[in-house]
Amino acid sequence: MAGDLRGLLLLLLRLGWALPWEALPRETQAGDHGLDAAALSWQQPELPSVLPSARWLWDPERKACPPGRKPAVVDEILVLYEEWELEACVDAALVDAQMDRVNLMPFTYQQLHVLKRKLDELYPQGYPETLARRLGGFFLEVTPKDVHKWNVTSLETVTSLLRASAGRRADAQVAALIDRYVAGGGQLDHTALAALRPAYLCALSPQQLGSVPLSVLWAVQPADLDACGPLQMDALYRVARTALGNLSRPEYLWRIRPYLGGAPLEDLRALTGQNLTLDVAAFKKLRVEVVQSLTVSEVQKLLGPNVLGLKAEERNSPVRDWLLLQPQGHLDRLGLGLLGGIPNGYLVLDLLRQGAPTSLGPDLRSWRPPSCSWLGS
């Protein structure tokens, strides 16, 4: 290591570059590298301009902005700045005021992270809407947690950021944006609704879901609705059932699958004999009260060959809760070895319908008296 340093210093001296002794690290000054301080302090008088850069080269902190490097405008020169220079020289107010120019520059991800940190320091409580509306492509740098700090009141802000994020991986940010807008009482117009990706639907209120255009509904995949609550699923099912009603029966059955988590019992029973086959994952997304009301025969029709998947889920809700309500004899007919049903010959009273406390229901259902031969099978 010492030999490498000595060779570097000799090369600098031969090139005529000046390197003042005080600019070197302390261990270099104190060590014995075969060079004396007088030799290292020598410099050519005609090359003094190298001194500032040499000092910056050896400064491990690099916190102060070098002379002449503080920009007055966001332009291509900043792209050449190192990250520490952006941190030291660029004011957050400049980034805020010239956000449109920031989006025009080919900054690296690392440089953009520096600029975002400066904005976060300027607005620790969240970006004002005047800035959020102008973020453009910079919107991809913020996180959903950042967006939840914003006060979004303008539809213009939503549509502007929807356009900026189109075709990019910003589903979580957009969902948070819509959530903030809707939480403040904002209403999405048809243009904004048509620009939505299916992954954003769960950020809408049940009322707004009633206005989602058919083009969005057709693109929905089951995973897009994982974050939706019961009221949202109810609204989506109603909208989808109406919007898809003119399709042929086979296509309708295919398109309605993602929305069955909001289907009432009577609708689901009507579909059991119409070649509608669900997998166990879709079955688990049905409304809890619907699942518990289905008979073994109805579940077998809904799942078709996928009924085999019930065995792997027999200890998980809602399959476990459904099993507890089924006659064990009916479960045995499936040939899957499912356990936990009502033993043959037992009389089960549905006390919940007689006004008994709700908390007693699960206990009574799961209670099993000692086996007695006189109960029969």
Side-chain angles (χ1 to χ4, degrees):
M1 181 67 180
D4 292 340
L5 180 58
R6 182 174 182 275
L8 175 61
L9 297 176
L10 288 173
L11 176 60
L12 292 175
L13 289 172
R14 288 173 182 172
L15 292 175
W17 287 10
L19 192 63
W21 180 256
E22 64 271 18
L24 295 175
R26 294 182 182 276
E27 59 269 20
T28 303
Q29 297 179 31
D32 180 11
H33 303 291
L35 296 172
D36 58 16
L40 290 173
S41 299
W42 173 85
Q43 62 181 9
Q44 288 187 346
E46 64 271 20
L47 293 173
S49 60
V50 77
L51 290 176
S53 60
R55 292 193 179 97
W56 283 108
L57 176 66
W58 289 101
D59 181 6
E61 297 294 334
R62 294 183 173 180
K63 290 183 177 180
C65 182
R69 298 288 279 174
K70 195 171 188 65
V73 64
V74 175
D75 57 16
E76 294 83 355
I77 300 299
L78 290 184
V79 177
L80 304 177
Y81 277 41
E82 295 184 33
E83 294 166 43
W84 71 268
E85 289 182 291
L86 289 176
E87 185 72 50
C89 302
V90 178
D91 290 333
L94 178 65
V95 180
D96 183 352
Q98 300 192 16
M99 180 54 66
D100 57 332
R101 296 187 60 83
V102 170
N103 286 309
L104 295 176
M105 300 299 114
F107 288 117
T108 65
Y109 290 124
Q110 292 77 12
Q111 289 173 319
L112 290 174
H113 290 338
V114 172
L115 299 181
K116 179 185 180 296
R117 283 201 304 270
K118 300 186 79 66
L119 287 176
D120 292 346
E121 292 171 0
L122 181 63
Y123 299 115
Q125 303 303 317
Y127 298 173
E129 192 165 11
T130 53
L131 170 59
R133 187 180 305 135
R134 296 181 290 107
L135 285 179
F138 197 86
F139 179 55
L140 303 178
E141 299 301 315
V142 305
T143 67
K145 183 177 180 180
D146 295 327
V147 177
H148 277 293
K149 295 180 181 180
W150 301 354
N151 183 27
V152 183
T153 61
S154 170
L155 182 59
E156 180 186 352
T157 302
V158 177
T159 54
S160 172
L161 296 179
L162 279 176
R163 287 194 299 268
S165 59
R168 306 187 184 187
R169 296 182 178 180
D171 288 352
Q173 292 96 316
V174 174
L177 173 71
I178 295 172
D179 181 67
R180 294 298 299 146
Y181 179 65
V182 172
Q187 298 292 318
L188 298 176
D189 62 8
H190 180 77
T191 301
L193 287 170
L196 293 179
R197 286 166 49 84
Y200 309 155
L201 291 177
C202 294
L204 301 180
S205 67
Q207 294 73 23
Q208 290 191 318
L209 288 171
S211 303
V212 173
L214 183 61
S215 60
V216 177
L217 296 177
W218 277 39
V220 168
Q221 298 297 318
D224 293 328
L225 307 181
D226 284 348
C228 288
L231 294 178
Q232 292 169 309
M233 288 304 304
D234 291 350
L236 279 170
Y237 174 75
R238 290 194 301 270
V239 172
R241 183 182 57 182
T242 301
L244 305 174
N246 294 329
L247 300 177
S248 66
R249 206 59 186 167
E251 187 172 7
Y252 173 81
L253 293 176
W254 178 257
R255 297 284 185 183
I256 201 65
R257 292 166 188 263
Y259 307 100
L260 291 179
L265 177 62
E266 55 271 20
D267 284 17
L268 203 58
R269 279 180 167 159
L271 295 173
T272 55
Q274 301 185 34
N275 296 322
L276 173 69
T277 302
L278 301 181
D279 56 26
V280 175
F283 177 72
K284 292 173 62 177
K285 293 180 181 179
L286 300 177
R287 292 162 62 172
V288 174
E289 64 272 19
V290 168
V291 170
Q292 294 187 352
S293 298
L294 293 173
T295 66
V296 173
S297 176
E298 289 168 339
V299 169
Q300 187 174 21
K301 290 178 181 179
L302 273 178
L303 297 181
N306 298 322
V307 73
L308 299 174
L310 290 178
K311 181 61 179 177
E313 295 290 336
E314 68 177 333
R315 298 191 179 188
N316 302 322
S317 183
V319 175
R320 178 195 60 208
D321 306 311
W322 173 75
L323 290 174
L324 294 175
L325 300 176
Q326 309 310 312
Q328 184 62 47
H330 295 186
L331 294 174
D332 293 340
R333 294 171 192 167
L334 295 176
L336 302 178
L338 295 173
L339 301 176
I342 303 168
N344 298 327
Y346 280 88
L347 178 63
V348 177
L349 300 178
D350 190 353
L351 299 181
L352 292 180
R353 293 187 179 180
Q354 301 175 22
T358 304
S359 60
L360 294 178
D363 294 334
L364 289 175
R365 287 193 181 103
S366 59
W367 179 74
R368 297 287 181 267
S371 59
C372 299
S373 58
W374 58 267
L375 288 174
S377 60

